[in-house]
Amino acid sequence: MKSPILSIIIPVYNLEKYLKKCLDSIFFHLPDDYSVEIIVINDGSTDDSEKIIEKYLKFDNFKYFSIKNGGVSRARNVGISNSSGEFLTFVDADDFIADNYFSTILPLLEDPLLEILCFGYYEYDGVCKKKISISDGPIIQKTNDGIMNYITFKYQKTIKPFVWNKIYRAKVIKDKKISFSERKYLGEDILFNSEYLQNVTNISCVNAPLYYYFQRHDSVTHKYKENYPQDTINYLLTFIEISKRTGCTIPIQNLLEFYLSRWFGLIYNESFSQNYRKGWTNVKRYLNYDFFTNNKKFIKFKTLNNKNRVYYLFINLHLSSLVFGILFKKNSKH
């Protein structure tokens, strides 16, 4: 059997309701030439996910690993370590791929100069779908664009923050020892993409929807995140670690703007706390973090975007408690 061109890594944790649809969308459209391998990592599921997975063990190009629960980042890293494809990508087990996924992607992977391929997708709620577009045509990166274009939110708009709408060259990941940080539980996709993009020059884009991103209301992205303040700080610190590792210096203004940009998201998250005092304490801890308080004087108000200007004014006018109180009262009623 020849080596696969593409490895698809699928972490699974308690997704029995969605898993069959995900796997069927892949296996029903697999090419017959074994050019694609599927790697499923059961991350300690306690539901019937394993029983569903076992029905696909008959396929030759299917690898299955069952591990102790350690989070999606660890599961993805296990998949990377056990992949043998020239390229690799990721699929979330509650999502599924489009019928033309392989017929569109595989011919493009024959390009020996391809470093990363990005593609569009649908947001899907089980009934309606919304097409999400990305940049048309190639992007030629300048030095340090991988980090700077994520920390300034440019790439979030043009190529999106996710790993499942991208195909990566495995050699870059393995040679540069790029992995998902298992210490962080926020923004792991962006951190992975930033480090990968620091090591490549050309970004190829296909502005066609090849993936269905399922918007389910019980997903981790819709739940109260108890460690959100510290995770946000860790996220920033990891950006700085990656920048040092890859020889990029992030200007203090950009770090401060990023920190400011999380203000409302933090307050909104904490407004879902079961305890008012605990939620407000978390907000204050974030606002009083040494990095922010010690460097706030370096913020250049005129260079801030409109959203960050509003956040900056709310913080300086000590209105964070008012915003938190209003949101907490509103969310306590539901």
Side-chain angles (χ1 to χ4, degrees), residues 142-186:
K142 299 189 294 294
T143 302
N144 295 327
D145 273 358
I147 286 179
M148 294 308 301
N149 283 345
Y150 267 122
I151 206 162
T152 58
F153 297 95
K154 179 180 178 181
Y155 277 167
Q156 279 86 333
K157 298 175 183 177
T158 56
I159 61 172
K160 306 303 177 183
F162 311 109
V163 294
W164 41 252
N165 80 317
K166 296 173 181 66
I167 310 288
Y168 307 86
R169 188 170 285 277
K171 180 175 172 56
V172 176
I173 292 173
K174 294 176 180 179
D175 285 356
K176 298 297 182 180
K177 297 181 171 61
I178 301 169
S179 64
F180 291 90
S181 176
E182 297 177 18
R183 296 174 296 154
K184 316 297 189 294
Y185 298 93
L186 177 76

Coordinates of all heavy atoms in Angstrom, one line a residue, residues 142-186:
K142 N 4.9 38.3 4.1 CA 6.1 39.0 4.5 C 6.6 38.4 5.8 O 5.9 37.7 6.5 CB 5.9 40.5 4.6 CG 5.4 41.2 3.3 CD 5.4 42.7 3.4 CE 4.4 43.2 4.4 NZ 3.0 43.0 4.1
T143 N 7.8 38.8 6.2 CA 8.4 38.3 7.4 C 7.5 38.6 8.6 O 7.0 39.7 8.8 CB 9.8 38.9 7.7 OG1 10.6 38.6 6.5 CG2 10.4 38.3 8.9
N144 N 7.2 37.6 9.4 CA 6.5 37.7 10.7 C 5.0 37.9 10.4 O 4.2 38.2 11.4 CB 7.0 38.7 11.6 CG 8.4 38.4 12.1 OD1 8.8 37.3 12.3 ND2 9.3 39.4 12.2
D145 N 4.5 37.7 9.2 CA 3.0 37.9 9.0 C 2.3 36.8 9.8 O 1.1 37.0 10.2 CB 2.7 37.8 7.5 CG 2.8 39.1 6.8 OD1 3.1 40.1 7.5 OD2 2.6 39.1 5.6
G146 N 2.8 35.6 9.9 CA 2.1 34.5 10.6 C 1.6 34.9 12.0 O 0.5 34.6 12.3
I147 N 2.5 35.6 12.7 CA 2.1 36.1 14.1 C 1.3 37.4 14.0 O 0.2 37.6 14.5 CB 3.3 36.2 15.0 CG1 3.7 34.8 15.4 CG2 3.0 37.1 16.2 CD1 4.9 34.8 16.3
M148 N 1.9 38.4 13.3 CA 1.3 39.7 13.3 C 0.0 39.8 12.7 O -0.9 40.6 13.1 CB 2.3 40.7 12.6 CG 3.6 40.9 13.3 SD 3.5 41.4 15.0 CE 2.5 42.9 14.9
N149 N -0.3 39.0 11.7 CA -1.6 39.1 11.0 C -2.7 38.4 11.8 O -3.9 38.5 11.5 CB -1.6 38.5 9.6 CG -1.0 39.6 8.6 OD1 -0.8 40.7 9.0 ND2 -0.6 39.1 7.5
Y150 N -2.3 37.6 12.8 CA -3.3 37.0 13.7 C -3.5 37.9 14.9 O -4.7 38.1 15.3 CB -2.9 35.6 14.1 CG -3.5 34.5 13.3 CD1 -2.8 33.6 12.6 CD2 -4.9 34.4 13.1 CE1 -3.3 32.6 11.8 CE2 -5.5 33.4 12.3 CZ -4.7 32.5 11.6 OH -5.3 31.6 10.8
I151 N -2.4 38.4 15.4 CA -2.6 39.3 16.6 C -3.3 40.6 16.3 O -3.9 41.2 17.2 CB -1.3 39.5 17.4 CG1 -1.5 39.7 18.9 CG2 -0.5 40.6 16.7 CD1 -0.3 39.5 19.7
T152 N -3.2 41.0 15.0 CA -4.0 42.2 14.6 C -5.3 41.9 13.9 O -6.0 42.7 13.4 CB -3.1 43.0 13.6 OG1 -2.8 42.2 12.5 CG2 -1.8 43.5 14.3
F153 N -5.7 40.6 14.0 CA -7.0 40.1 13.5 C -7.2 40.2 12.0 O -8.3 40.0 11.5 CB -8.1 40.9 14.2 CG -8.1 40.6 15.7 CD1 -7.5 41.5 16.5 CD2 -8.7 39.5 16.2 CE1 -7.5 41.3 17.9 CE2 -8.8 39.3 17.6 CZ -8.1 40.2 18.4
K154 N -6.1 40.3 11.2 CA -6.3 40.4 9.8 C -6.6 39.0 9.2 O -7.5 38.8 8.4 CB -5.0 40.9 9.1 CG -5.1 40.9 7.6 CD -3.8 41.4 7.0 CE -3.9 41.4 5.4 NZ -2.6 41.9 4.8
Y155 N -5.8 38.0 9.7 CA -6.1 36.6 9.2 C -7.4 36.0 9.7 O -7.9 35.1 9.0 CB -4.9 35.7 9.6 CG -3.7 35.8 8.6 CD1 -2.5 35.3 9.0 CD2 -3.8 36.4 7.4 CE1 -1.4 35.3 8.1 CE2 -2.7 36.5 6.5 CZ -1.5 36.0 6.9 OH -0.4 36.0 6.1
Q156 N -7.9 36.5 10.8 CA -9.2 36.0 11.3 C -10.3 36.3 10.2 O -11.2 35.5 10.1 CB -9.6 36.6 12.6 CG -8.9 36.0 13.8 CD -7.6 36.6 14.1 OE1 -6.9 37.1 13.3 NE2 -7.2 36.6 15.4
K157 N -10.1 37.3 9.5 CA -11.0 37.7 8.4 C -10.7 37.1 7.1 O -11.6 36.7 6.4 CB -11.1 39.2 8.3 CG -11.5 40.0 9.5 CD -11.4 41.5 9.4 CE -11.8 42.2 10.6 NZ -11.6 43.7 10.5
T158 N -9.4 37.0 6.7 CA -9.1 36.6 5.4 C -8.9 35.1 5.2 O -9.4 34.5 4.2 CB -7.8 37.3 4.9 OG1 -6.7 37.0 5.9 CG2 -7.9 38.8 4.8
I159 N -8.3 34.4 6.2 CA -8.2 32.9 6.0 C -8.8 32.2 7.2 O -8.8 31.0 7.2 CB -6.7 32.5 5.9 CG1 -5.9 32.9 7.1 CG2 -6.1 33.1 4.6 CD1 -4.5 32.4 7.1
K160 N -9.4 32.9 8.2 CA -10.1 32.4 9.4 C -9.1 31.8 10.4 O -8.0 31.4 10.0 CB -11.2 31.4 8.9 CG -12.1 32.0 7.9 CD -12.8 33.3 8.4 CE -13.7 33.9 7.3 NZ -14.3 35.1 7.8
P161 N -9.6 31.6 11.6 CA -8.7 31.2 12.7 C -8.6 29.7 12.8 O -7.7 29.2 13.6 CB -9.3 31.8 13.9 CG -10.8 31.8 13.6 CD -10.8 32.2 12.1
F162 N -9.4 28.9 12.1 CA -9.5 27.5 12.4 C -8.5 26.6 11.7 O -7.8 27.0 10.8 CB -10.9 27.0 11.9 CG -12.0 27.9 12.3 CD1 -12.7 28.7 11.4 CD2 -12.4 27.9 13.6 CE1 -13.7 29.5 11.8 CE2 -13.4 28.8 14.1 CZ -14.1 29.6 13.2
V163 N -8.3 25.4 12.2 CA -7.4 24.4 11.6 C -8.1 23.5 10.6 O -7.5 22.9 9.8 CB -6.6 23.6 12.6 CG1 -5.7 24.5 13.4 CG2 -7.5 22.8 13.6
W164 N -9.4 23.4 10.8 CA -10.2 22.5 10.0 C -10.5 23.0 8.6 O -11.0 22.3 7.7 CB -11.5 22.0 10.6 CG -12.3 23.0 11.4 CD1 -12.4 23.1 12.7 CD2 -13.1 24.0 10.8 NE1 -13.3 24.1 13.0 CE2 -13.7 24.7 11.9 CE3 -13.4 24.4 9.5 CZ2 -14.6 25.8 11.7 CZ3 -14.2 25.5 9.3 CH2 -14.8 26.2 10.4
N165 N -10.2 24.3 8.3 CA -10.3 24.8 6.9 C -9.0 25.0 6.3 O -8.8 25.8 5.4 CB -11.2 26.1 6.9 CG -10.4 27.3 7.2 OD1 -9.6 27.3 8.2 ND2 -10.6 28.4 6.5
K166 N -8.0 24.2 6.7 CA -6.6 24.3 6.2 C -6.0 22.9 6.0 O -6.3 22.0 6.8 CB -5.8 25.2 7.1 CG -6.3 26.6 7.2 CD -5.5 27.4 8.3 CE -6.1 28.8 8.4 NZ -7.4 28.9 8.9
I167 N -5.2 22.8 5.0 CA -4.4 21.6 4.8 C -2.9 22.0 5.0 O -2.4 23.0 4.3 CB -4.6 21.1 3.3 CG1 -6.1 21.0 3.0 CG2 -3.8 19.8 3.2 CD1 -6.8 19.9 3.7
Y168 N -2.2 21.3 5.8 CA -0.8 21.6 6.1 C 0.2 20.6 5.6 O -0.2 19.4 5.5 CB -0.6 21.6 7.7 CG -1.6 22.5 8.4 CD1 -2.9 22.0 8.8 CD2 -1.3 23.8 8.7 CE1 -3.8 22.8 9.4 CE2 -2.2 24.6 9.4 CZ -3.4 24.1 9.8 OH -4.4 24.9 10.4
R169 N 1.4 21.1 5.2 CA 2.4 20.1 4.8 C 3.0 19.5 6.1 O 3.5 20.2 6.9 CB 3.5 20.9 4.0 CG 4.5 19.9 3.3 CD 5.4 20.6 2.3 NE 4.7 20.9 1.1 CZ 4.6 20.0 0.1 NH1 5.1 18.7 0.2 NH2 4.0 20.3 -1.1
A170 N 2.9 18.2 6.2 CA 3.3 17.5 7.4 C 4.8 17.7 7.7 O 5.2 17.8 8.9 CB 3.0 16.0 7.3
K171 N 5.7 17.8 6.7 CA 7.1 18.0 6.9 C 7.4 19.2 7.7 O 8.3 19.2 8.6 CB 7.8 18.0 5.6 CG 9.4 18.1 5.7 CD 10.0 18.0 4.4 CE 11.5 18.3 4.4 NZ 12.2 17.5 5.4
V172 N 6.7 20.3 7.4 CA 6.9 21.6 8.1 C 6.6 21.4 9.6 O 7.3 21.8 10.5 CB 6.1 22.7 7.5 CG1 6.2 24.0 8.4 CG2 6.5 23.0 6.1
I173 N 5.4 20.7 9.9 CA 5.0 20.5 11.3 C 6.0 19.7 12.0 O 6.4 20.0 13.2 CB 3.6 19.9 11.3 CG1 2.6 20.9 10.8 CG2 3.2 19.4 12.7 CD1 1.2 20.3 10.6
K174 N 6.4 18.6 11.4 CA 7.3 17.7 12.1 C 8.8 18.2 12.2 O 9.4 18.0 13.2 CB 7.2 16.3 11.4 CG 5.8 15.7 11.6 CD 5.7 14.4 10.9 CE 4.2 13.8 11.1 NZ 4.0 12.5 10.4
D175 N 9.2 18.8 11.2 CA 10.6 19.3 11.2 C 10.7 20.5 12.2 O 11.7 20.6 12.9 CB 11.0 19.8 9.8 CG 11.4 18.7 8.9 OD1 11.3 17.5 9.3 OD2 11.6 19.0 7.7
K176 N 9.7 21.3 12.3 CA 9.7 22.5 13.2 C 9.2 22.2 14.5 O 9.1 23.1 15.4 CB 9.0 23.7 12.5 CG 9.6 24.1 11.2 CD 11.0 24.7 11.4 CE 11.6 25.2 10.1 NZ 13.0 25.7 10.3
K177 N 8.7 20.9 14.7 CA 8.1 20.5 16.0 C 7.0 21.4 16.4 O 6.9 21.8 17.6 CB 9.2 20.5 17.1 CG 10.3 19.5 16.8 CD 11.4 19.5 18.0 CE 12.4 18.3 17.8 NZ 13.1 18.3 16.6
I178 N 6.1 21.6 15.5 CA 4.9 22.5 15.8 C 3.8 21.5 16.4 O 3.6 20.5 15.8 CB 4.4 23.2 14.5 CG1 5.5 24.1 14.0 CG2 3.2 24.0 14.8 CD1 5.2 24.6 12.6
S179 N 3.2 22.0 17.4 CA 2.2 21.1 18.1 C 1.2 22.0 18.7 O 1.3 23.3 18.8 CB 2.8 20.2 19.1 OG 3.4 20.9 20.2
F180 N 0.1 21.5 19.1 CA -1.0 22.2 19.9 C -0.5 22.2 21.4 O -0.2 21.2 21.9 CB -2.3 21.5 19.7 CG -2.9 21.6 18.4 CD1 -2.6 20.6 17.4 CD2 -3.7 22.7 18.0 CE1 -3.1 20.7 16.1 CE2 -4.2 22.7 16.7 CZ -3.9 21.8 15.8
S181 N -0.6 23.4 21.9 CA -0.2 23.6 23.3 C -1.3 22.9 24.2 O -2.5 23.2 24.2 CB -0.1 25.0 23.7 OG 0.1 25.2 25.1
E182 N -0.8 21.9 25.0 CA -1.7 21.2 25.8 C -2.0 21.9 27.2 O -2.8 21.4 28.0 CB -1.2 19.7 26.1 CG -1.1 19.0 24.7 CD -0.5 17.6 24.9 OE1 -0.4 17.1 26.0 OE2 -0.1 17.0 23.9
R183 N -1.3 23.0 27.4 CA -1.5 23.7 28.6 C -2.6 24.7 28.5 O -3.2 25.2 29.5 CB -0.3 24.5 29.0 CG 1.0 23.6 29.3 CD 2.2 24.5 29.5 NE 2.5 25.2 28.3 CZ 3.2 26.4 28.3 NH1 3.5 27.0 29.4 NH2 3.4 26.9 27.1
K184 N -3.0 25.1 27.3 CA -4.0 26.2 27.1 C -5.3 25.6 26.6 O -5.3 24.6 25.9 CB -3.4 27.1 26.0 CG -2.0 27.5 26.2 CD -1.7 28.2 27.5 CE -0.3 28.8 27.6 NZ 0.8 27.8 27.6
Y185 N -6.4 26.3 26.9 CA -7.7 25.8 26.5 C -8.5 26.9 25.8 O -9.7 27.0 25.8 CB -8.5 25.3 27.7 CG -7.8 24.1 28.3 CD1 -7.0 24.3 29.4 CD2 -8.1 22.8 27.9 CE1 -6.3 23.2 30.0 CE2 -7.4 21.7 28.5 CZ -6.6 21.9 29.5 OH -5.9 20.9 30.1
L186 N -7.7 27.9 25.2 CA -8.3 29.0 24.5 C -7.5 29.3 23.3 O -6.3 29.4 23.4 CB -8.4 30.2 25.4 CG -8.9 31.5 24.8 CD1 -10.5 31.4 24.7 CD2 -8.6 32.7 25.7

